[in-house]
Each structure stands twice: as structure tokens, then as C-alpha cells.
């Protein structure tokens, strides 16, 4: 997980959700204890949820199976020569992924959206603005997931009827 803001929160939420589903997970990187001393205890079937800063990504030559970009805005420009160098460092989180890997990004952040568009990568957006018709979208109190097949699922979230689940066809207004 990388971005200018929201890395720690996103890393923690992903870690907690995967752990709650029964996966054996390890949380680390730029958050909490370093994972390297724990490497002997991490099994190939375990999941490492790692917060990565631009400093950690700057010289990285491999990418995770699943990468998340929360957002990108001017940050650490006292360290990086300019915004482009900062973006280039962040880009390493997905630059070395294979076609079977996943990239998730914040569609509502123009810098992230532009980076993904220029990369030519297929990626999964998330949005609360409604500016995209695929990925994970929040509309009111309902979370939607949609793909190119135009089928989606919706889940009621906080404040909505508990346990409500619908199957529907995109777009939500067609419900």
C-alpha cells in the first residue's frame, strides 16, 4: 500500500479484513515493527500487508502481487528533486508486476488516475465520486462492485439495513 495519505489506515484495514477472514497475515513496512526480522516465520501461504513510502519504493525492483495506491499529492519534495521523481518512486509499487497481478488505485485522485492511464496498465479503481463505472464504488450508503461484464454486487454498509445484499445490473440507477 502506498500513497501520500491514507497508507497506514488502508494497510491496517486490509490487514484486519484479511485476518478476520481467517488468513494468516503480517502487517509491516512503514507501520509498526519491521517484517524482515520475522521473515523466518512468514510462510509462502501467508499474506504480508505492507505500507511502503516513496523512500522505500525509490530503488525497488520488484512489485507485490497486489498493489494499492491511495492517492498522490506533493509530498517529501524536500527529499525528491521534484514531483515527477516522487511519482516515479511511487510507480515502482506496480512497475514490475506481471499480468496476473492486481493494481488498485484511487480514481478520484487526478494524479493517481493520470499515472494509471499513462502506464497502460489494467487496474481496479475505487471511487466515491461516481466518476467511473467499474471497480469499487460508493453511492450513498451502498458499495458497488462492477467490471467490464456489467454485472455487479451491492452491499449495504454502515447505517443501512444489516445483512442486506442485492445482485443487480449496472448502472445503479437501473435498479
Amino acid at each position: 500500500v502506498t500513497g501520500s495519505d491514507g497508507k497506514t489506515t488502508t494497510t491496517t484495514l486490509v490487514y484486519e479484513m484479511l485476518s478476520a477472514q481467517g488468513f494468516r497475515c503480517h502487517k509491516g513496512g512503514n507501520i509498526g515493527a519491521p517484517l524482515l526480522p520475522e521473515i523466518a516465520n512468514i510462510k509462502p501461504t501467508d499474506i504480508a500487508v505492507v505500507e511502503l513510502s516513496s523512500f522505500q519504493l525509490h530503488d525497488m525492483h520488484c512489485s507485490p502481487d497486489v498493489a494499492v495506491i491511495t492517492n498522490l499529492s506533493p509530498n517529501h519534495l524536500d527529499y525528491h528533486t521534484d514531483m515527477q521523481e516522487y511519482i516515479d518512486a511511487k510507480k515502482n509499487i506496480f512497475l514490475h508486476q506481471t499480468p496476473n497481478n492486481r493494481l488498485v488505485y484511487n480514481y478520484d485522485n487526478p494524479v493517481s488516475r493520470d499515472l494509471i492511464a499513462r502506464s497502460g496498465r489494467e487496474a481496479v479503481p475505487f471511487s466515491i465520486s461516481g466518476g467511473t463505472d467499474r471497480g469499487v464504488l460508493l453511492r450513498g450508503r451502498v458499495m458497488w462492485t462492477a467490471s467490464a461484464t456489467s454485472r455487479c454486487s451491492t452491499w449495504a454498509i454502515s447505517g443501512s439495513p444489516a445483512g442486506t445484499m442485492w445482485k443487480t445490473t449496472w448502472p445503479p440507477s437501473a435498479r
Side-chain angles (χ1 to χ4, degrees):
V1 176
T2 197
S4 298
D5 300 297
K7 295 182 300 291
T8 300
T9 301
T10 303
T11 301
T12 302
L13 287 171
V14 170
Y15 169 83
E16 293 295 335
M17 288 187 284
L18 290 170
S19 295
Q21 290 298 309
F23 292 98
R24 184 177 152 161
C25 298
H26 307 271
K27 178 175 63 173
N30 207 36
I31 177 177
L35 287 179
L36 198 53
E38 296 298 315
I39 199 74
N41 300 321
I42 299 175
K43 298 176 181 171
T45 54
D46 292 356
I47 298 173
V49 184
V50 183
E51 176 183 325
L52 295 168
S53 71
S54 62
F55 311 118
Q56 293 161 313
L57 289 166
H58 190 76
D59 294 322
M60 197 162 101
H61 300 289
C62 61
S63 297
D65 293 341
V66 178
V68 178
I69 300 174
T70 60
N71 56 45
L72 295 173
S73 61
N75 208 338
H76 304 300
L77 298 183
D78 56 332
Y79 175 83
H80 297 285
T81 56
D82 57 20
M83 183 64 177
Q84 189 57 54
E85 182 180 283
Y86 175 70
I87 291 170
D88 288 343
K90 293 293 194 174
K91 185 167 49 176
N92 282 330
I93 198 162
F94 70 85
L95 192 62
H96 308 285
Q97 285 187 317
T98 68
N100 293 330
N101 297 153
R102 295 286 175 260
L103 171 59
V104 180
Y105 73 101
N106 183 351
Y107 182 88
D108 297 338
N109 177 252
V111 180
S112 300
R113 187 173 60 240
D114 182 58
L115 173 64
I116 302 309
R118 286 185 290 117
S119 75
R121 288 285 321 246
E122 185 168 331
V124 178
F126 63 90
S127 173
I128 62 170
S129 72
T132 182
D133 61 354
R134 62 183 197 85
V136 180
L137 316 165
L138 184 62
R139 302 272 169 86
R141 294 180 181 212
V142 178
M143 184 181 296
W144 296 79
T145 60
S147 68
T149 63
S150 77
R151 298 293 296 170
C152 69
S153 301
T154 59
W155 296 272
I157 59 171
S158 179
S160 297
T164 306
M165 182 181 223
W166 303 272
K167 291 279 187 191
T168 189
T169 304
W170 195 258
S173 59
R175 259 187 66 209

